[in-house]
Amino acid sequence: MAQDYSQFSDAALDKELAAKADVQLYVMVPMRDGVRLATHVYRPKGVTGPLPTILVKTPYNEMPYKAGTTRSALDAIKHGYALVLQNERGRYYSEGEWEILGHPQTDGYDTLTWIAKQSWSNGKVGTRGCSSTAEWQLALAGQNHPAHAAMVPQSSGAGIGKVGEFQEQGNWYTGGVPRNLFFVWLYGVDNPLRAQPPKGLDSKTIARLARYNDLEAKKPEVNWPTQIRHLPVNEMLQDLGEPKGTFEELINRDGPADPAWRKGGLYHDDKGWGVPALWFNSWYDVSIGPNMALFNHARTVNSDKEASDNQYAIVTPSNHCGFNARSLQVPYKSGDRDMGTVNFDADKEVYAFFDRWLKGDVNAFPKTTPPVRYYSMGANSWKQSAQWPPEGSAPMKLYLRSSGRANSLAGDGKLTAVAPGAGEQPDRYAYDPTNPVQTVGGGDCCNGGLVIAGAFDQRGVESRDDVLVYTSEPLTEPLEVSGFVRAFLKVSSDAKDTDFAVKLVDVGPDGTAYILGDTIMRARYRDSYDKPAMMTAGQTYTVKPTPITTSNTFLPGHRIRVEVTSSNFPKFVRNLNTGGDNEKETKFVVANNALHHAAGEESYIELPVVGRK
């Protein structure tokens, strides 16, 4: 039986590593410009033949003598791999200046070249990681390095610039609205005043120095629920005493179409794709939509047919990077909702995939493996498909209707397959930026506790008069919704610019309203990110927010619900409604907004229903 290192003490792990591994610490790997990156190499002890290699590259402080690092090394060695663990440029003992995504266009490529030249390497490298240890892999895959034999990107959406209908620029935006999570994340990660060791130190000296100084910055604690309200937004971190850095560079860009987004390490869909990949995603992650859109792109771009023919996706009902949690092996709960026993072993899938592509074991991960395996919530069961959305899915149009009083749960909003007639009155509400609708669950991550992701009950939110609520009749049979959920809204406002936010909710027989997903669109970008346009009072516009991506089976007795409002804070930056440069302003106006739904001005959603008769 294979050794399980999860319960080993730190001392036992150190002893096991000494017995099982040959370890080189703080190897300073040179890049093409002479900058050296701090790198650990772990190899099975006494193995002389060439080895397949797993490369993990990270901006985080994973390297200095940590139990988690040791477990990862022992797991790789147990499966017959060398593990190379590297800090990104400008992080800890790696030289140079840090840039978000770690210079993937050059540093990732140069590291693969270095590994392939080592006497212990068989010339085949697999990249692996979750979140920031995954995102840099995407642009690297577009370069198709000959040693890059396979990749396992997990929760990698912040590495995606534009793909298909998603133009989020590394999750900085949704529908042109900045997300607050990166402001918190950059405060912790970006450190323009970081301490640096003297240049030119040898590996042995650096390894000894790291024993008692790991260069981990200890920044002051921040009251984020208060600080996240700071105006102007672009001075939020400077208000804490921080020097200007990555945050200021990104927040001051001119929206999602700013050409500067093309100059960094983001992957855009005008690039090719050259690497077989096993994608891990989560329904309550920050960017499940772009992740699945990139999976589809990698399958169809055909710049490297073998790579496009070998793309596989696994989607769990967890939060960001949650598929690695042992809790998925027992009855799993997301937010307020029981998800059943997911019973999923991520590591088993990862090593089977690597065995196929790095060792040539064609039986380890056979061609008969379904391209998509996804967990359908509600039904609480695994399903599989040859594509995403699943084959056999078809759009179901449900109209948002009322008699003009859909405000809150107490209103008369309904969701129906019957199109509205003439004369239905619009639903109206006032959006005040000083009193935004509070975020409760949904997809998010990495925000210092501002938002807890997951399937939380929305009834508290739905009690507000500035939230429009549209609910179907109870279903009489199961309805699987799997794919991209699209909203089409007819709206007007007396403000020059405002936001429109949408949620999809599963309402149980007891009234519990579980969020499935949410989205938002800044009205100025309704036609184009390249040419934003203000609104004119009294004029009706069509707004099509970025799709919600999910799989949920609405069970008999359950109802489908859609919420519409103009804020979702603190997940998304508040629109101040002036039509100006929103992230540089301190003044605001209240927006009086309306959702129209009479004949000729229908507002509706399209649900991708699987197996609809």
Side-chain angles (χ1 to χ4, degrees):
M1 185 175 180
Q3 183 68 63
D4 179 7
Y5 299 112
S6 61
Q7 302 303 314
F8 274 43
S9 67
D10 289 1
L13 284 170
D14 288 343
K15 183 178 180 180
E16 188 77 359
L17 188 66
K20 297 289 180 65
D22 288 324
V23 182
Q24 294 174 276
L25 300 179
Y26 294 96
V27 179
M28 301 304 289
V29 176
M31 301 292 102
R32 65 188 65 181
D33 60 357
V35 169
R36 302 180 305 163
L37 303 189
T39 307
H40 289 355
V41 180
Y42 304 86
R43 293 178 289 123
K45 179 160 285 189
V47 176
T48 57
L51 290 165
T53 303
I54 298 171
L55 169 61
V56 176
K57 189 178 182 71
T58 178
Y60 298 125
N61 201 16
E62 302 284 354
M63 295 177 64
Y65 312 99
K66 288 187 175 180
T69 301
T70 303
R71 288 190 183 94
S72 296
L74 286 168
D75 278 335
I77 288 166
K78 176 179 68 178
H79 286 90
Y81 292 89
L83 174 67
V84 173
L85 179 61
Q86 185 178 80
N87 266 140
E88 290 181 357
R89 173 183 297 239
R91 301 297 291 164
Y92 307 102
Y93 285 93
S94 286
E95 298 170 348
E97 297 299 321
W98 182 70
E99 179 183 334
I100 196 167
L101 294 176
H103 294 253
Q105 307 289 352
T106 56
D107 288 357
Y109 198 95
D110 292 351
T111 300
L112 289 174
T113 299
W114 180 85
I115 293 171
K117 290 180 178 178
Q118 302 307 301
S119 60
W120 43 261
S121 170
N122 74 349
K124 294 182 181 296
V125 183
T127 53
R128 178 186 184 180
C130 190
S131 193
S132 289
T133 59
E135 292 145 9
W136 64 274
Q137 299 179 44
L138 307 184
L140 182 63
Q143 299 179 71
N144 199 9
H145 190 290
H148 199 184
M151 60 188 292
V152 182
Q154 303 170 307
S155 295
S156 59
I160 302 171
K162 177 189 179 299
V163 57
E165 58 198 304
F166 296 92
Q167 193 166 335
E168 296 195 352
Q169 307 299 12
N171 298 153
W172 193 264
Y173 304 99
T174 296
V177 183
R179 303 185 71 112
N180 278 316
L181 76 90
F182 269 113
F183 312 169
V184 181
W185 184 82
L186 282 169
Y187 173 78
V189 174
D190 195 19
N191 186 17
L193 300 180
R194 76 183 183 97
Q196 293 179 280
K199 291 183 179 179
L201 295 179
D202 61 87
S203 297
K204 183 177 180 181
T205 302
I206 292 174
R208 177 151 184 86
L209 182 60
R211 280 287 188 182
Y212 53 84
N213 188 340
D214 64 9
L215 303 182
E216 180 78 78
K218 302 295 191 295
K219 290 190 174 181
E221 294 292 325
V222 176
N223 183 342
W224 285 111
T226 297
Q227 189 64 21
I228 209 68
R229 288 179 166 268
H230 183 275
L231 296 175
V233 171
N234 69 339
E235 295 179 7
M236 185 180 298
L237 298 193
Q238 288 177 265
D239 182 65
L240 297 171
E242 287 287 286
K244 289 184 178 181
T246 304
F247 167 74
E248 286 76 19
E249 175 192 348
L250 301 185
I251 196 64
N252 288 317
R253 287 182 177 172
D254 190 18
D258 192 314
W261 292 110
R262 290 276 178 169
K263 296 178 181 178
L266 291 170
Y267 180 91
H268 302 276
D269 62 9
D270 55 1
K271 300 178 180 180
W273 190 271
V275 185
L278 176 61
W279 304 82
F280 283 79
N281 294 317
S282 306
W283 294 134
Y284 288 99
D285 199 1
V286 63
S287 63
I288 179 61
N291 286 345
M292 295 307 292
L294 181 53
F295 164 73
N296 284 340
H297 171 73
R299 295 189 76 197
T300 56
V301 66
N302 279 330
S303 58
D304 180 321
K305 191 174 187 308
E306 182 181 55
S308 287
D309 287 347
N310 288 281
Q311 302 294 314
Y312 300 88
I314 298 171
V315 193
T316 74
S318 61
N319 294 357
H320 183 72
C321 293
F323 33 74
N324 290 325
R326 295 177 67 85
S327 61
L328 291 180
Q329 309 299 327
V330 298
Y332 179 71
K333 190 172 185 179
S334 173
D336 298 316
R337 190 180 193 186
D338 292 323
M339 296 290 184
T341 301
V342 180
N343 195 26
F344 177 73
D345 190 337
D347 280 344
K348 180 181 177 181
E349 297 289 339
V350 170
Y351 282 109
F353 190 72
F354 280 157
D355 285 351
R356 165 65 183 89
W357 292 102
L358 305 185
K359 295 181 179 179
D361 183 356
V362 296
N363 296 318
F365 198 93
K367 286 288 291 183
T368 55
T369 303
V372 182
R373 286 172 283 175
Y374 64 98
Y375 197 80
S376 188
M377 300 177 289
N380 291 348
S381 63
W382 281 101
K383 304 199 173 189
Q384 60 188 47
S385 173
Q387 63 187 51
W388 187 260
E391 59 270 28
S393 65
M396 172 187 284
K397 184 182 290 188
L398 295 178
Y399 295 92
L400 282 58
R401 300 185 59 185
S402 77
S403 297
R405 298 186 304 278
N407 310 74
S408 84
L409 270 177
D412 64 355
K414 58 184 178 181
L415 201 59
T416 173
V418 178
E424 280 198 1
Q425 294 300 303
D427 295 305
R428 302 182 185 276
Y429 62 96
Y431 159 50
D432 180 352
T434 66
N435 184 28
V437 174
Q438 182 76 18
T439 303
V440 179
D444 209 30
C445 82
C446 323
N447 54 45
L450 281 173
V451 176
I452 306 302
F456 287 96
D457 190 349
Q458 300 299 298
R459 283 177 291 185
V461 171
E462 293 165 353
S463 68
R464 293 178 57 127
D465 198 55
D466 56 354
V467 177
L468 306 180
V469 180
Y470 304 90
T471 309
S472 74
E473 293 297 318
L475 299 175
T476 58
E477 58 185 24
L479 186 77
E480 182 188 336
V481 173
S482 295
F484 300 109
V485 178
R486 292 178 170 85
F488 300 80
L489 307 180
K490 291 289 187 177
V491 300
S492 62
S493 177
D494 65 356
K496 293 180 180 179
D497 186 43
T498 192
D499 295 343
F500 291 95
V502 179
K503 289 181 190 172
L504 180 65
V505 178
D506 183 339
V507 183
D510 64 353
T512 306
Y514 300 116
I515 183 172
L516 300 174
D518 50 28
T519 185
I520 197 167
M521 172 63 71
R522 185 143 289 175
R524 69 177 70 181
Y525 297 121
R526 62 193 176 274
D527 297 321
S528 169
Y529 291 116
D530 298 289
K531 297 179 179 179
M534 296 301 122
M535 306 174 78
T536 299
Q539 186 168 335
T540 301
Y541 300 93
T542 301
V543 171
K544 296 179 285 187
T546 301
I548 294 168
T549 309
T550 192
S551 176
N552 184 74
T553 301
F554 293 87
L555 299 177
H558 286 234
R559 292 174 290 164
I560 305 167
R561 177 172 291 163
V562 171
E563 300 173 20
V564 178
T565 186
S566 286
S567 54
N568 187 348
F569 183 81
K571 181 180 292 187
F572 300 108
V573 169
R574 295 166 291 170
N575 196 327
L576 302 184
N577 301 324
T578 67
D581 195 342
N582 192 76
E583 280 64 66
K584 297 179 182 178
E585 295 189 324
T586 58
K587 306 290 186 181
F588 69 91
V589 298
V590 174
N592 294 291
N593 298 336
L595 181 77
H596 302 261
H597 45 71
E601 291 187 335
E602 298 91 348
S603 293
Y604 59 92
I605 61 165
E606 284 186 350
L607 302 176
V609 176
V610 178
R612 184 183 181 191
K613 297 177 181 178

